[in-house]
């Protein structure tokens, strides 16, 4: 969360197919439609998948659907050259009054992802893009831990 602001952020990182379509076991269900319904934001998941799969390694933008200040879905479609699981970061910016329900949904999505890949010291409230998206920035700048340089990533706002 960001201080006294009226919005909070959540995120998960996992294979794009689990985030977009759910885990492939019978007891699993796709949680993305519930999140979209809660935020009243619709996303063409086929377009997100196609864009991600057609993005060259070492590239990828952050796509923001909805009102970036208080009510949006965020897909970080960067394709890490060392990633063999095709992971993306997915998150939301939402009103603080949605916190409890959104936490439940993101915790459930995290548990689905955890069945396939394990993360340690994971926090679903910490994002790299959160403040940049809320501010409406066009570019995210962050420290690249591999080569110790400043990296940039384009943020695209889609209505």
């Amino acid at each position: 969360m960001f201080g006294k602001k009226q919005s909070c952020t959540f995120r998960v990182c996992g294979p794009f197919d689990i985030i977009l379509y759910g885990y492939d076991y019978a007891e699993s269900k796709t949680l993305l439609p519930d999140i979209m319904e809660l935020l009243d934001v619709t996303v063409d998941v086929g377009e997100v998948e196609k864009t991600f799969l057609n993005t060259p390694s070492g590239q990828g933008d952050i796509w923001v659907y909805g009102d970036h200040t208080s009510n949006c879905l965020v897909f970080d479609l960067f394709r890490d050259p060392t990633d063999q699981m095709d992971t993306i970061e997915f998150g939301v910016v939402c009103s603080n009054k949605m916190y409890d329900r959104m936490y439940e949904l993101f915790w459930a999505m995290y548990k689905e992802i955890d069945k396939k890949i394990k993360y340690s010291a994971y926090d679903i409230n910490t994002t790299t893009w959160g403040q940049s998206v809320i501010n409406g920035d066009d570019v995210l700048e962050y420290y690249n831990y591999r080569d110790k340089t400043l990296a940039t990533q384009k943020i695209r706002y889609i209505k």
Side-chain angles (χ1 to χ4, degrees):
M1 296 221 265
F2 296 106
K4 296 179 181 181
K5 298 203 177 195
Q6 299 300 312
S7 58
C8 55
T9 62
F10 292 94
R11 63 105 184 180
V12 293
C13 186
F16 81 90
D17 54 338
I18 294 175
I19 291 172
L20 298 180
Y21 303 110
Y23 206 57
D24 58 357
Y25 292 133
E27 74 272 5
S28 176
K29 75 175 214 133
T30 304
L31 296 164
L32 183 56
D34 294 340
I35 294 168
M36 287 192 292
E37 182 180 338
L38 183 61
L39 293 174
D40 194 26
V41 175
T42 304
V43 173
D44 179 353
V45 294
E47 178 185 13
V48 173
E49 177 183 16
K50 181 180 172 185
T51 300
F52 177 71
L53 292 175
N54 289 323
T55 299
S57 178
Q59 297 179 26
D61 297 334
I62 296 170
W63 286 25
V64 180
Y65 291 85
D67 178 359
H68 68 90
T69 62
S70 62
N71 200 37
C72 68
L73 297 165
V74 180
F75 294 89
D76 185 341
L77 302 179
F78 180 77
R79 293 200 69 168
D80 189 316
T82 63
D83 178 16
Q84 297 178 1
M85 303 273 307
D86 284 334
T87 60
I88 63 172
E89 186 173 309
F90 164 68
V92 300
V93 175
C94 66
S95 161
N96 284 337
K97 61 185 166 196
M98 293 182 193
Y99 181 89
D100 292 337
R101 178 66 179 135
M102 197 62 74
Y103 184 88
E104 290 173 13
L105 291 168
F106 269 82
W107 184 248
M109 186 178 280
Y110 168 77
K111 296 306 278 180
E112 289 298 313
I113 291 166
D114 194 51
K115 292 176 184 177
K116 187 166 187 177
I117 57 178
K118 300 288 182 187
Y119 286 105
S120 61
Y122 195 83
D123 181 357
I124 64 175
N125 289 107
T126 303
T127 65
T128 53
W129 46 258
Q131 195 60 57
S132 295
V133 167
I134 290 171
N135 290 343
D137 298 340
D138 293 329
V139 174
L140 170 66
E141 293 184 335
Y142 59 94
Y143 181 72
N144 187 337
Y145 66 91
R146 284 193 197 93
D147 60 7
K148 299 176 178 32
T149 61
L150 185 64
T152 60
Q153 197 173 2
K154 190 181 287 184
I155 301 175
R156 307 176 89 176
Y157 298 91
I158 302 162
K159 299 293 178 189

